[in-house]
Structure formats: C-alpha cells, structure tokens
C-alpha cells in the first residue's frame, strides 16, 4: 500500500533453472563477485555482492516488441514509454474452458487506448507440464485484428503464448503478426490477473533499453486506487 494506492504484482519470479517455455534454455543465476571475495577489494567492514544471470530474452514474464516478429520493427529501445508504462488497463475475463479468445468475446469491451489483459486463468499451471499443453488458451488472429482496429495500446495474456501453440496451428502466429505489425506490444506469461478489477487500474510492463533485442523480461504490475 502506498498512500491511497495498491500495487499488484503480475510477474512470475525468475529463478535459477526455471522453465518458461519447455525445451528452451533455463536461466542460470550465479555470483560474479561474492561478498567474501569483495572483502579484499574494499576497506575493512565493507563488502558487496554482484550477481550474474545468463538467460534467453524469453524468460519469465516478458515483453514482445515489433522487432521480435518483424525485421526492421522497433526494438526495446524504440518502443515509447507511453506504450509500456502507466497505461489505463482493462481485464477481459475468459470463461473457463475457452481456448480461443476471438472477436465476439472481445467486442463488448472498451479497449481504445488501453492495456488489454486477457485473464484465462492458465497461469495456475506455470512451471508444470500442463502449461505447455495443446489446450492452452490463446488469442485468435481475428481477435487480434479487432484489437488493432479498436485501438488497443498493449495486449497481455497469462497463458504460454498469445498465439495457438497446438499442432493444428502449424507454427503460424497470426496474433503476434497483427499486433506487432501495428506497433502494439505484447506481454506474455502474466500472472495474478484475477486480483485485478475489470477496469480502474493503471498497468506497467517496462523492460530495460537494450539495443538490438526484440523481447525481454519485465516487472509487470498494476496500480489500483484504494
């Protein structure tokens, strides 16, 4: 609690050896400088620790920029802060058992200028074999096209991928393609969306400004009026 505001954490913890996407490299978290080793470098009683992490960019809860999908698209340095931080947010509750989030499910919501967060409940399976199963929820290409037409600023989901990863999809990624072509950033692997109201909050998911990279982990969170 900060004053009259409440902060809600929406990111998964990144830990050594964790699985985000099955078959993709896990992060390795070590120490570059230990407290013990640092004592030889500083005055008596003064010590520091410097950690090191080796990971792929698609780890934990992360942001996709246009450069992730499109050559020449904006990378982490090119997406403006007004598409990543302090955005008015809306949560779309996806009915239990629904895989395909499509245009009819979205069309009743006011999404213009907002961060649209798809609450599928799938984050409950994060870190388990079920998380990557073929019945994971996703946004359809037509649903993504509607969000582009309606003027969404950012789109997030608490599932393994905003696109269908099942065998019938044949590796196609229509939601990524449509949203990122329109300059709409994507946040994947969100969690705790059930802790948010449908509206009345501000959303932030800002990565560091790393040149030449299209994806990177974020500290995603919402700010609610108390």
């Amino acid at each position: 609690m900060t004053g009259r505001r409440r902060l809600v954490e929406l990111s998964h913890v990144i830990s050594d050896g964790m699985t985000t996407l099955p078959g993709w490299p896990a992060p390795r978290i070590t120490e570059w400088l230990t407290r013990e080793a640092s004592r030889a470098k500083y005055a008596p009683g003064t010590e520091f620790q410097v950690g090191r992490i080796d990971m792929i960019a698609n780890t934990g809860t992360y942001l996709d920029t246009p450069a992730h999908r499109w050559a020449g698209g904006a990378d982490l340095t090119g997406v403006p802060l007004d598409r990543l931080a302090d955005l008015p947010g809306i949560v779309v509750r996806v009915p239990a058992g629904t895989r395909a989030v499509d245009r009819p499910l979205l069309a009743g919501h006011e999404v213009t200028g907002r961060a649209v967060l798809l609450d599928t409940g799938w984050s409950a399976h994060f870190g388990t074999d079920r998380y990557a199963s073929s019945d994971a929820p996703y946004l359809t290409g037509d649903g993504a096209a509607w969000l582009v037409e309606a003027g969404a600023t950012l789109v997030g989901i608490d599932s393994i991928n905003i696109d269908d990863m099942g065998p019938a999809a044949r590796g196609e990624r229509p939601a990524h393609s449509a949203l990122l072509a329109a300059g709409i950033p994507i946040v994947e692997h969100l969690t705790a969306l059930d802790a948010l109201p449908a509206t009345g909050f501000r959303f932030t998911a800002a990565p560091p400004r790393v040149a030449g990279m299209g994806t990177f982990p974020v500290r995603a969170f919402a700010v609610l009026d108390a």
Side-chain angles (χ1 to χ4, degrees), residues 8-101:
V8 179
E9 180 73 68
L10 303 174
S11 293
H12 290 287
V13 174
I14 295 175
S15 59
D16 182 65
M18 69 177 285
T19 297
T20 301
L21 297 161
W24 293 41
R28 297 301 174 192
I29 301 173
T30 57
E31 290 182 297
W32 180 79
L33 179 66
T34 66
R35 294 188 182 281
E36 292 75 17
S38 77
R39 293 169 190 160
K41 301 176 179 291
Y42 300 100
T46 302
E47 62 183 41
F48 296 94
Q49 185 267 356
V50 179
R52 174 172 178 162
I53 183 167
D54 295 288
M55 66 179 186
I56 62 170
N58 292 39
T59 297
T61 302
Y62 56 80
L63 179 88
D64 291 345
T65 70
H68 177 51
R69 171 65 180 86
W70 300 106
D75 65 5
L76 295 174
T77 69
V79 177
L81 280 176
D82 61 9
R83 283 196 168 268
L84 304 173
D86 196 31
L87 304 173
I90 180 171
V91 175
V92 176
R93 309 287 182 200
V94 178
T98 300
R99 282 202 69 224
V101 180

Coordinates of all heavy atoms in Angstrom, one line a residue, residues 8-101:
V8 N -0.3 -4.3 -7.4 CA -0.5 -5.7 -7.6 C 0.6 -6.2 -8.5 O 0.8 -5.8 -9.7 CB -1.9 -6.0 -8.2 CG1 -2.1 -7.5 -8.4 CG2 -3.0 -5.4 -7.3
E9 N 1.3 -7.2 -8.0 CA 2.4 -7.9 -8.8 C 1.8 -8.8 -9.8 O 0.9 -9.6 -9.5 CB 3.3 -8.7 -7.9 CG 4.4 -9.4 -8.5 CD 5.5 -8.4 -9.0 OE1 6.2 -7.8 -8.1 OE2 5.7 -8.3 -10.2
L10 N 2.2 -8.7 -11.1 CA 1.7 -9.5 -12.2 C 2.7 -10.3 -12.9 O 2.5 -10.9 -14.0 CB 0.9 -8.6 -13.2 CG -0.2 -7.7 -12.6 CD1 -0.7 -6.8 -13.6 CD2 -1.3 -8.6 -12.0
S11 N 3.9 -10.4 -12.3 CA 5.0 -11.1 -13.0 C 5.4 -12.4 -12.2 O 5.3 -12.5 -11.0 CB 6.3 -10.3 -13.0 OG 6.1 -9.2 -13.8
H12 N 5.8 -13.4 -13.0 CA 6.4 -14.6 -12.4 C 7.8 -14.3 -11.9 O 8.5 -13.5 -12.4 CB 6.4 -15.8 -13.4 CG 5.1 -16.3 -13.8 ND1 4.4 -17.1 -12.9 CD2 4.4 -16.2 -14.9 CE1 3.2 -17.5 -13.5 NE2 3.2 -16.9 -14.7
V13 N 8.2 -15.0 -10.8 CA 9.6 -14.9 -10.3 C 10.5 -15.6 -11.3 O 10.2 -16.8 -11.7 CB 9.7 -15.5 -8.9 CG1 11.1 -15.5 -8.4 CG2 8.8 -14.7 -7.9
I14 N 11.6 -15.0 -11.6 CA 12.7 -15.7 -12.4 C 13.7 -16.3 -11.4 O 14.3 -15.6 -10.6 CB 13.4 -14.7 -13.3 CG1 12.4 -14.2 -14.4 CG2 14.6 -15.4 -14.0 CD1 13.0 -13.1 -15.3
S15 N 13.9 -17.6 -11.5 CA 14.8 -18.3 -10.5 C 15.7 -19.2 -11.3 O 15.4 -19.6 -12.5 CB 14.0 -19.1 -9.5 OG 13.1 -20.1 -10.1
D16 N 16.8 -19.6 -10.7 CA 17.8 -20.4 -11.4 C 17.2 -21.7 -11.8 O 16.6 -22.4 -11.0 CB 19.0 -20.7 -10.4 CG 20.1 -21.5 -11.1 OD1 20.7 -21.0 -12.0 OD2 20.3 -22.6 -10.6
G17 N 17.3 -22.1 -13.1 CA 16.9 -23.3 -13.6 C 15.4 -23.4 -13.9 O 14.9 -24.5 -14.3
M18 N 14.7 -22.4 -13.8 CA 13.2 -22.4 -14.0 C 12.9 -22.7 -15.5 O 13.7 -22.4 -16.4 CB 12.6 -21.1 -13.6 CG 12.9 -19.9 -14.6 SD 12.1 -18.4 -14.2 CE 10.5 -18.7 -14.8
T19 N 11.7 -23.2 -15.8 CA 11.2 -23.4 -17.1 C 10.1 -22.4 -17.5 O 9.2 -22.2 -16.7 CB 10.6 -24.8 -17.3 OG1 11.6 -25.8 -17.1 CG2 10.0 -25.0 -18.7
T20 N 10.3 -21.6 -18.5 CA 9.3 -20.7 -19.1 C 8.7 -21.4 -20.3 O 7.4 -21.6 -20.3 CB 9.9 -19.4 -19.5 OG1 10.5 -18.8 -18.3 CG2 8.8 -18.5 -20.0
L21 N 9.4 -21.8 -21.3 CA 9.0 -22.5 -22.4 C 9.7 -23.8 -22.5 O 10.9 -23.9 -22.5 CB 9.3 -21.7 -23.7 CG 8.6 -20.3 -23.8 CD1 9.3 -19.4 -24.8 CD2 7.1 -20.5 -24.1
P22 N 9.0 -24.9 -22.5 CA 9.6 -26.3 -22.5 C 10.6 -26.4 -23.7 O 10.3 -26.1 -24.8 CB 8.4 -27.2 -22.6 CG 7.3 -26.5 -22.0 CD 7.5 -25.0 -22.4
G23 N 11.8 -26.9 -23.3 CA 12.8 -27.1 -24.4 C 13.7 -25.9 -24.6 O 14.7 -26.0 -25.3
W24 N 13.3 -24.8 -24.1 CA 14.1 -23.6 -24.2 C 15.1 -23.5 -23.0 O 14.8 -23.9 -21.9 CB 13.3 -22.3 -24.3 CG 12.4 -22.3 -25.6 CD1 11.8 -23.3 -26.2 CD2 12.2 -21.1 -26.4 NE1 11.1 -22.9 -27.3 CE2 11.3 -21.6 -27.5 CE3 12.5 -19.8 -26.3 CZ2 10.9 -20.7 -28.4 CZ3 12.1 -18.9 -27.3 CH2 11.3 -19.4 -28.4
P25 N 16.3 -22.8 -23.2 CA 17.2 -22.8 -22.1 C 16.7 -22.1 -20.8 O 16.0 -21.1 -20.9 CB 18.4 -22.0 -22.7 CG 18.2 -22.1 -24.2 CD 16.8 -22.2 -24.4
A26 N 17.0 -22.7 -19.7 CA 16.7 -22.1 -18.4 C 17.7 -21.0 -18.0 O 18.8 -21.1 -18.4 CB 16.6 -23.2 -17.4
P27 N 17.3 -20.1 -17.2 CA 18.2 -19.1 -16.7 C 19.2 -19.7 -15.7 O 18.8 -20.6 -15.0 CB 17.4 -18.0 -16.0 CG 16.1 -18.8 -15.6 CD 15.9 -19.8 -16.7
R28 N 20.4 -19.2 -15.7 CA 21.4 -19.6 -14.7 C 21.9 -18.4 -14.0 O 22.4 -17.4 -14.5 CB 22.6 -20.3 -15.4 CG 22.3 -21.5 -16.2 CD 21.7 -22.6 -15.3 NE 21.2 -23.8 -16.0 CZ 20.5 -24.7 -15.4 NH1 20.1 -24.6 -14.2 NH2 20.1 -25.7 -16.1
I29 N 21.6 -18.4 -12.7 CA 21.9 -17.3 -11.8 C 23.0 -17.7 -10.9 O 23.0 -18.6 -10.1 CB 20.6 -16.9 -11.0 CG1 19.5 -16.6 -11.9 CG2 20.9 -15.7 -10.1 CD1 18.2 -16.3 -11.3
T30 N 24.1 -16.9 -11.0 CA 25.3 -17.2 -10.2 C 25.8 -15.8 -9.6 O 25.2 -14.8 -9.7 CB 26.4 -17.8 -11.0 OG1 26.7 -17.0 -12.2 CG2 26.0 -19.2 -11.6
E31 N 27.0 -15.9 -9.0 CA 27.6 -14.7 -8.5 C 28.9 -14.4 -9.3 O 29.8 -15.2 -9.5 CB 28.0 -14.8 -7.0 CG 26.8 -14.9 -6.1 CD 27.3 -15.0 -4.6 OE1 27.9 -16.0 -4.3 OE2 27.0 -14.1 -3.8
W32 N 29.0 -13.2 -9.8 CA 30.2 -12.7 -10.5 C 31.2 -12.3 -9.4 O 32.4 -12.6 -9.5 CB 29.9 -11.6 -11.4 CG 31.1 -11.1 -12.1 CD1 31.8 -11.6 -13.2 CD2 31.9 -9.9 -11.8 NE1 32.9 -10.9 -13.6 CE2 33.0 -9.8 -12.7 CE3 31.8 -8.9 -10.8 CZ2 33.9 -8.8 -12.7 CZ3 32.7 -7.9 -10.8 CH2 33.8 -7.8 -11.7
L33 N 30.7 -11.6 -8.3 CA 31.6 -11.2 -7.2 C 30.9 -11.6 -5.9 O 29.8 -11.2 -5.7 CB 31.8 -9.7 -7.2 CG 32.7 -9.1 -6.1 CD1 34.1 -9.6 -6.2 CD2 32.6 -7.6 -6.1
T34 N 31.5 -12.5 -5.2 CA 30.9 -12.9 -3.9 C 31.3 -11.9 -2.8 O 32.2 -11.1 -2.9 CB 31.4 -14.2 -3.5 OG1 32.8 -14.2 -3.2 CG2 31.2 -15.3 -4.5
R35 N 30.5 -11.9 -1.7 CA 30.8 -11.0 -0.6 C 32.2 -11.3 0.0 O 33.0 -10.4 0.3 CB 29.8 -11.1 0.5 CG 28.4 -10.6 0.0 CD 27.4 -10.6 1.1 NE 26.1 -10.2 0.6 CZ 25.8 -8.9 0.3 NH1 26.6 -7.9 0.6 NH2 24.6 -8.6 -0.1
E36 N 32.5 -12.6 0.0 CA 33.8 -13.0 0.6 C 35.0 -12.4 -0.3 O 35.9 -11.9 0.2 CB 33.9 -14.5 0.7 CG 33.0 -15.2 1.7 CD 31.5 -15.2 1.2 OE1 31.3 -15.0 0.0 OE2 30.6 -15.4 2.1
A37 N 34.8 -12.6 -1.6 CA 35.9 -12.1 -2.5 C 36.0 -10.6 -2.5 O 37.1 -10.0 -2.7 CB 35.7 -12.6 -3.9
S38 N 34.9 -9.9 -2.3 CA 34.9 -8.5 -2.3 C 35.7 -7.8 -1.1 O 36.1 -6.7 -1.2 CB 33.5 -7.9 -2.3 OG 32.9 -8.0 -1.1
R39 N 35.8 -8.6 -0.1 CA 36.4 -8.0 1.1 C 37.9 -7.6 0.9 O 38.4 -6.7 1.5 CB 36.3 -9.0 2.3 CG 34.9 -9.2 2.8 CD 34.8 -10.4 3.7 NE 33.4 -10.7 4.0 CZ 33.0 -11.8 4.5 NH1 33.9 -12.8 4.7 NH2 31.7 -12.1 4.7
A40 N 38.5 -8.3 -0.1 CA 39.9 -8.0 -0.4 C 40.0 -6.7 -1.2 O 41.1 -6.1 -1.3 CB 40.6 -9.1 -1.2
K41 N 38.9 -6.2 -1.7 CA 39.0 -5.0 -2.6 C 38.6 -3.7 -1.9 O 38.8 -2.6 -2.4 CB 38.0 -5.2 -3.8 CG 38.3 -6.4 -4.7 CD 37.2 -6.6 -5.8 CE 37.5 -7.8 -6.7 NZ 38.7 -7.5 -7.5
Y42 N 37.9 -3.9 -0.7 CA 37.4 -2.7 0.0 C 37.9 -2.6 1.4 O 38.6 -3.5 1.9 CB 35.8 -2.8 0.0 CG 35.2 -2.8 -1.4 CD1 34.8 -4.0 -2.0 CD2 35.1 -1.7 -2.2 CE1 34.3 -4.1 -3.3 CE2 34.6 -1.7 -3.5 CZ 34.2 -2.9 -4.0 OH 33.7 -3.0 -5.3
A43 N 37.6 -1.5 2.0 CA 38.0 -1.2 3.4 C 37.4 -2.2 4.3 O 36.4 -2.8 4.1 CB 37.6 0.2 3.8
P44 N 38.1 -2.5 5.5 CA 37.6 -3.4 6.5 C 36.1 -3.1 6.8 O 35.7 -1.9 7.0 CB 38.5 -3.2 7.7 CG 39.8 -2.8 7.1 CD 39.4 -1.9 5.9
G45 N 35.3 -4.1 6.8 CA 33.9 -4.0 7.2 C 33.0 -3.6 6.0 O 31.8 -3.5 6.1
T46 N 33.6 -3.4 4.8 CA 32.8 -3.1 3.6 C 32.9 -4.3 2.6 O 33.9 -4.8 2.3 CB 33.4 -1.8 2.9 OG1 33.4 -0.8 3.8 CG2 32.6 -1.5 1.7
E47 N 31.7 -4.7 2.2 CA 31.6 -5.8 1.2 C 30.4 -5.6 0.3 O 29.4 -4.9 0.7 CB 31.5 -7.1 2.0 CG 30.3 -7.3 2.8 CD 30.2 -8.6 3.6 OE1 31.3 -9.0 4.1 OE2 29.1 -9.2 3.7
F48 N 30.5 -6.2 -0.9 CA 29.4 -6.2 -1.9 C 29.2 -7.5 -2.5 O 30.1 -8.4 -2.5 CB 29.8 -5.1 -3.0 CG 29.9 -3.7 -2.5 CD1 31.1 -3.2 -2.1 CD2 28.7 -3.0 -2.3 CE1 31.2 -1.9 -1.6 CE2 28.8 -1.7 -1.9 CZ 30.0 -1.1 -1.5
Q49 N 28.1 -7.7 -3.1 CA 27.8 -8.9 -3.9 C 27.3 -8.4 -5.3 O 26.5 -7.5 -5.4 CB 26.7 -9.7 -3.3 CG 26.4 -11.1 -4.0 CD 25.3 -11.0 -5.0 OE1 24.6 -10.0 -5.2 NE2 25.1 -12.1 -5.7
V50 N 27.8 -9.0 -6.4 CA 27.4 -8.7 -7.7 C 27.0 -10.0 -8.4 O 27.8 -10.9 -8.5 CB 28.5 -8.0 -8.6 CG1 28.0 -7.8 -10.0 CG2 29.0 -6.7 -7.9
G51 N 25.7 -10.1 -8.7 CA 25.2 -11.3 -9.3 C 25.4 -11.3 -10.8 O 25.7 -10.3 -11.5
R52 N 25.2 -12.5 -11.4 CA 25.3 -12.7 -12.8 C 24.1 -13.6 -13.3 O 23.8 -14.6 -12.6 CB 26.6 -13.3 -13.2 CG 26.7 -13.7 -14.7 CD 28.0 -14.1 -15.1 NE 28.1 -14.5 -16.5 CZ 29.2 -14.6 -17.3 NH1 30.4 -14.4 -16.7 NH2 29.1 -15.0 -18.5
I53 N 23.5 -13.3 -14.4 CA 22.4 -14.1 -14.9 C 22.6 -14.3 -16.4 O 22.9 -13.4 -17.1 CB 21.0 -13.5 -14.7 CG1 19.9 -14.4 -15.2 CG2 20.9 -12.1 -15.2 CD1 18.5 -14.1 -14.7
D54 N 22.6 -15.6 -16.8 CA 22.7 -15.9 -18.2 C 21.4 -16.5 -18.6 O 20.9 -17.6 -18.1 CB 23.8 -17.0 -18.4 CG 25.2 -16.4 -18.1 OD1 25.7 -15.6 -18.9 OD2 25.7 -16.8 -17.0
M55 N 20.7 -15.9 -19.6 CA 19.4 -16.3 -19.9 C 19.0 -15.9 -21.3 O 19.6 -14.9 -21.9 CB 18.3 -15.7 -19.0 CG 18.2 -14.2 -19.0 SD 16.9 -13.6 -17.9 CE 16.9 -11.9 -18.4
I56 N 18.0 -16.5 -21.9 CA 17.5 -16.1 -23.2 C 16.5 -14.9 -22.8 O 16.0 -14.8 -21.7 CB 16.8 -17.2 -24.0 CG1 15.6 -17.8 -23.2 CG2 17.8 -18.2 -24.4 CD1 14.8 -18.8 -24.0
A57 N 16.1 -14.1 -23.8 CA 15.3 -13.0 -23.6 C 13.8 -13.4 -23.2 O 13.1 -12.7 -22.5 CB 15.3 -12.1 -24.8
N58 N 13.4 -14.6 -23.7 CA 12.1 -15.0 -23.5 C 12.0 -15.9 -22.2 O 11.9 -17.1 -22.2 CB 11.5 -15.9 -24.6 CG 11.3 -15.0 -25.9 OD1 12.1 -14.1 -26.2 ND2 10.3 -15.3 -26.6
T59 N 12.2 -15.2 -21.1 CA 12.2 -15.8 -19.8 C 11.3 -15.2 -18.8 O 11.2 -13.9 -18.7 CB 13.7 -15.8 -19.2 OG1 14.6 -16.5 -20.0 CG2 13.7 -16.3 -17.8
G60 N 10.5 -16.0 -18.1 CA 9.6 -15.4 -17.1 C 8.5 -14.6 -17.8 O 8.0 -15.0 -18.9
T61 N 8.0 -13.5 -17.2 CA 7.0 -12.6 -17.8 C 7.8 -11.6 -18.7 O 8.6 -10.9 -18.2 CB 6.2 -11.9 -16.7 OG1 5.6 -12.9 -15.9 CG2 5.2 -11.0 -17.3
Y62 N 7.5 -11.6 -20.0 CA 8.3 -10.8 -20.9 C 7.5 -10.0 -21.9 O 6.3 -10.3 -22.2 CB 9.4 -11.6 -21.6 CG 8.9 -12.8 -22.4 CD1 8.4 -12.6 -23.7 CD2 9.0 -14.0 -21.9 CE1 7.9 -13.7 -24.4 CE2 8.6 -15.1 -22.6 CZ 8.0 -15.0 -23.8 OH 7.6 -16.0 -24.6
L63 N 8.2 -9.0 -22.5 CA 7.6 -8.1 -23.5 C 8.0 -8.5 -24.9 O 9.2 -8.8 -25.1 CB 7.9 -6.7 -23.2 CG 7.4 -5.6 -24.2 CD1 6.0 -5.2 -23.7 CD2 8.3 -4.4 -24.3
D64 N 7.1 -8.5 -25.8 CA 7.5 -8.7 -27.2 C 7.3 -7.3 -27.9 O 6.2 -6.7 -27.8 CB 6.5 -9.6 -27.9 CG 6.7 -11.1 -27.5 OD1 7.7 -11.4 -26.9 OD2 5.8 -11.9 -27.8
T65 N 8.3 -6.9 -28.6 CA 8.3 -5.6 -29.4 C 8.1 -6.0 -30.9 O 8.3 -7.2 -31.2 CB 9.5 -4.8 -29.2 OG1 10.6 -5.5 -29.9 CG2 9.9 -4.6 -27.7
P66 N 7.8 -5.0 -31.7 CA 7.7 -5.3 -33.2 C 8.9 -6.1 -33.7 O 8.8 -6.9 -34.6 CB 7.5 -4.0 -33.8 CG 6.7 -3.2 -32.7 CD 7.3 -3.7 -31.4
A67 N 10.1 -5.8 -33.2 CA 11.3 -6.4 -33.8 C 11.4 -7.9 -33.5 O 12.1 -8.6 -34.2 CB 12.6 -5.7 -33.2
H68 N 10.6 -8.4 -32.6 CA 10.5 -9.8 -32.3 C 10.0 -10.6 -33.5 O 10.4 -11.7 -33.8 CB 9.7 -10.0 -31.0 CG 9.5 -11.5 -30.7 ND1 10.5 -12.4 -30.6 CD2 8.3 -12.2 -30.4 CE1 10.0 -13.5 -30.2 NE2 8.7 -13.5 -30.1
R69 N 9.0 -9.9 -34.2 CA 8.4 -10.6 -35.3 C 8.8 -10.1 -36.7 O 8.9 -10.8 -37.6 CB 6.8 -10.5 -35.1 CG 6.0 -10.9 -36.3 CD 6.1 -12.4 -36.6 NE 5.3 -12.8 -37.7 CZ 5.6 -12.8 -39.0 NH1 6.8 -12.3 -39.3 NH2 4.8 -13.2 -39.9
W70 N 9.1 -8.8 -36.7 CA 9.3 -8.1 -38.0 C 10.7 -7.5 -38.1 O 11.0 -6.7 -37.2 CB 8.2 -7.0 -38.2 CG 6.8 -7.5 -38.2 CD1 5.9 -7.4 -37.2 CD2 6.2 -8.2 -39.2 NE1 4.7 -8.0 -37.5 CE2 4.8 -8.5 -38.8 CE3 6.6 -8.7 -40.5 CZ2 3.9 -9.2 -39.6 CZ3 5.7 -9.4 -41.3 CH2 4.4 -9.7 -40.8
A71 N 11.4 -7.9 -39.1 CA 12.7 -7.3 -39.4 C 12.5 -5.8 -39.6 O 11.6 -5.4 -40.4 CB 13.4 -7.9 -40.6
G72 N 13.3 -5.0 -38.9 CA 13.2 -3.5 -39.1 C 12.2 -2.9 -38.1 O 12.0 -1.7 -38.1
G73 N 11.4 -3.7 -37.3 CA 10.5 -3.2 -36.4 C 11.2 -2.6 -35.2 O 12.4 -2.8 -34.9
A74 N 10.5 -1.8 -34.4 CA 11.1 -1.2 -33.2 C 11.5 -2.2 -32.2 O 10.8 -3.2 -31.9 CB 10.0 -0.3 -32.6
D75 N 12.7 -2.1 -31.7 CA 13.2 -3.0 -30.6 C 13.0 -2.4 -29.3 O 12.1 -1.5 -29.1 CB 14.7 -3.3 -30.9 CG 15.6 -2.1 -30.7 OD1 15.1 -1.0 -30.3 OD2 16.8 -2.2 -30.9
L76 N 13.6 -2.9 -28.2 CA 13.4 -2.4 -26.9 C 13.7 -1.0 -26.7 O 13.2 -0.3 -25.8 CB 14.3 -3.2 -25.9 CG 13.9 -4.7 -25.8 CD1 15.0 -5.4 -24.9 CD2 12.5 -5.0 -25.2
T77 N 14.6 -0.4 -27.5 CA 14.9 1.0 -27.4 C 13.9 1.9 -28.2 O 13.9 3.1 -28.0 CB 16.3 1.3 -28.0 OG1 16.4 1.1 -29.4 CG2 17.4 0.4 -27.3
G78 N 13.2 1.2 -29.1 CA 12.3 2.0 -30.0 C 10.9 2.1 -29.6 O 10.1 2.9 -30.2
V79 N 10.4 1.3 -28.6 CA 9.0 1.4 -28.2 C 8.9 2.5 -27.1 O 9.6 2.4 -26.1 CB 8.6 0.0 -27.6 CG1 7.1 0.1 -27.1 CG2 8.7 -1.1 -28.6
P80 N 8.1 3.5 -27.4 CA 8.0 4.6 -26.4 C 7.3 4.2 -25.1 O 6.5 3.3 -25.0 CB 7.1 5.6 -27.2 CG 6.3 4.8 -28.2 CD 7.2 3.7 -28.6
L81 N 7.7 4.9 -24.1 CA 7.2 4.6 -22.7 C 5.7 4.7 -22.6 O 5.1 4.0 -21.8 CB 7.9 5.5 -21.7 CG 9.3 5.2 -21.2 CD1 9.8 6.2 -20.3 CD2 9.3 3.8 -20.5
D82 N 5.1 5.6 -23.5 CA 3.6 5.7 -23.4 C 2.9 4.5 -23.9 O 1.7 4.5 -23.9 CB 3.2 7.0 -24.0 CG 3.5 7.1 -25.5 OD1 3.9 6.1 -26.1 OD2 3.3 8.2 -26.1
R83 N 3.6 3.5 -24.4 CA 3.0 2.2 -24.8 C 3.4 1.1 -23.8 O 3.0 0.0 -23.9 CB 3.4 1.8 -26.2 CG 2.7 2.5 -27.3 CD 2.9 1.8 -28.6 NE 1.9 2.4 -29.6 CZ 0.7 2.0 -29.8 NH1 0.2 0.9 -29.1 NH2 -0.1 2.5 -30.7
L84 N 4.1 1.5 -22.7 CA 4.6 0.5 -21.8 C 4.2 0.8 -20.3 O 4.2 -0.1 -19.5 CB 6.1 0.3 -21.9 CG 6.7 0.0 -23.2 CD1 8.2 0.1 -23.2 CD2 6.2 -1.4 -23.7
A85 N 4.1 2.0 -20.0 CA 4.0 2.4 -18.6 C 2.8 3.3 -18.3 O 2.4 4.2 -19.1 CB 5.3 3.2 -18.2
D86 N 2.2 3.1 -17.1 CA 1.1 3.9 -16.6 C 0.0 4.0 -17.6 O -0.6 5.0 -17.8 CB 1.6 5.3 -16.3 CG 0.7 6.1 -15.4 OD1 0.0 5.5 -14.6 OD2 0.6 7.4 -15.5
L87 N -0.4 2.8 -18.1 CA -1.5 2.7 -19.1 C -2.8 2.4 -18.4 O -2.8 1.6 -17.5 CB -1.2 1.6 -20.1 CG 0.1 1.6 -20.9 CD1 0.3 0.4 -21.7 CD2 0.2 2.9 -21.7
P88 N -3.9 3.1 -18.8 CA -5.2 2.6 -18.3 C -5.4 1.2 -18.7 O -5.1 0.8 -19.9 CB -6.2 3.6 -18.9 CG -5.5 4.1 -20.2 CD -4.0 4.1 -19.8
G89 N -5.9 0.3 -17.8 CA -6.0 -1.1 -18.1 C -7.4 -1.6 -18.1 O -8.3 -1.0 -17.4
I90 N -7.6 -2.7 -18.8 CA -8.9 -3.4 -18.7 C -8.6 -4.9 -18.8 O -7.7 -5.4 -19.5 CB -9.8 -3.0 -19.9 CG1 -11.1 -3.8 -19.9 CG2 -9.1 -3.3 -21.3 CD1 -12.1 -3.3 -20.9
V91 N -9.3 -5.7 -17.9 CA -9.1 -7.1 -17.9 C -10.3 -7.8 -18.6 O -11.5 -7.4 -18.3 CB -9.0 -7.7 -16.4 CG1 -9.0 -9.2 -16.4 CG2 -7.8 -7.1 -15.8
V92 N -10.0 -8.6 -19.5 CA -11.1 -9.4 -20.2 C -11.1 -10.8 -19.6 O -10.1 -11.5 -19.7 CB -10.8 -9.5 -21.7 CG1 -11.9 -10.4 -22.4 CG2 -10.9 -8.1 -22.4
R93 N -12.2 -11.1 -18.9 CA -12.3 -12.4 -18.2 C -12.7 -13.5 -19.3 O -13.7 -13.4 -19.9 CB -13.3 -12.4 -17.1 CG -13.2 -11.3 -16.1 CD -12.0 -11.5 -15.2 NE -12.0 -10.4 -14.2 CZ -10.9 -10.0 -13.5 NH1 -9.7 -10.7 -13.7 NH2 -10.9 -9.0 -12.7
V94 N -11.8 -14.5 -19.5 CA -12.1 -15.5 -20.4 C -12.8 -16.7 -19.7 O -12.2 -17.2 -18.7 CB -10.8 -16.0 -21.1 CG1 -11.0 -17.1 -22.1 CG2 -10.1 -14.8 -21.8
P95 N -14.0 -17.1 -20.2 CA -14.7 -18.1 -19.5 C -13.9 -19.4 -19.4 O -13.1 -19.8 -20.3 CB -15.9 -18.4 -20.3 CG -16.1 -17.0 -21.0 CD -14.7 -16.5 -21.3
A96 N -14.0 -20.1 -18.2 CA -13.3 -21.4 -18.0 C -13.6 -22.3 -19.1 O -14.7 -22.5 -19.6 CB -13.6 -22.0 -16.7
G97 N -12.5 -23.0 -19.6 CA -12.7 -24.0 -20.7 C -12.6 -23.4 -22.1 O -12.7 -24.1 -23.1
T98 N -12.5 -22.0 -22.2 CA -12.4 -21.4 -23.5 C -11.0 -21.4 -24.0 O -10.1 -20.9 -23.2 CB -13.0 -20.0 -23.4 OG1 -14.3 -20.0 -23.0 CG2 -12.8 -19.3 -24.8
R99 N -10.7 -21.9 -25.1 CA -9.3 -21.8 -25.7 C -9.2 -20.6 -26.5 O -8.2 -19.8 -26.4 CB -9.0 -23.1 -26.5 CG -8.7 -24.3 -25.8 CD -8.0 -25.3 -26.7 NE -6.6 -24.8 -26.9 CZ -6.0 -24.8 -28.1 NH1 -6.7 -25.2 -29.2 NH2 -4.8 -24.3 -28.2
A100 N -10.0 -20.4 -27.5 CA -9.9 -19.3 -28.5 C -10.6 -18.0 -28.0 O -11.8 -18.0 -27.9 CB -10.4 -19.8 -29.8
V101 N -9.7 -17.0 -27.8 CA -10.3 -15.7 -27.4 C -10.4 -15.0 -28.8 O -9.5 -14.6 -29.4 CB -9.3 -14.9 -26.5 CG1 -9.9 -13.5 -26.2 CG2 -9.0 -15.7 -25.3

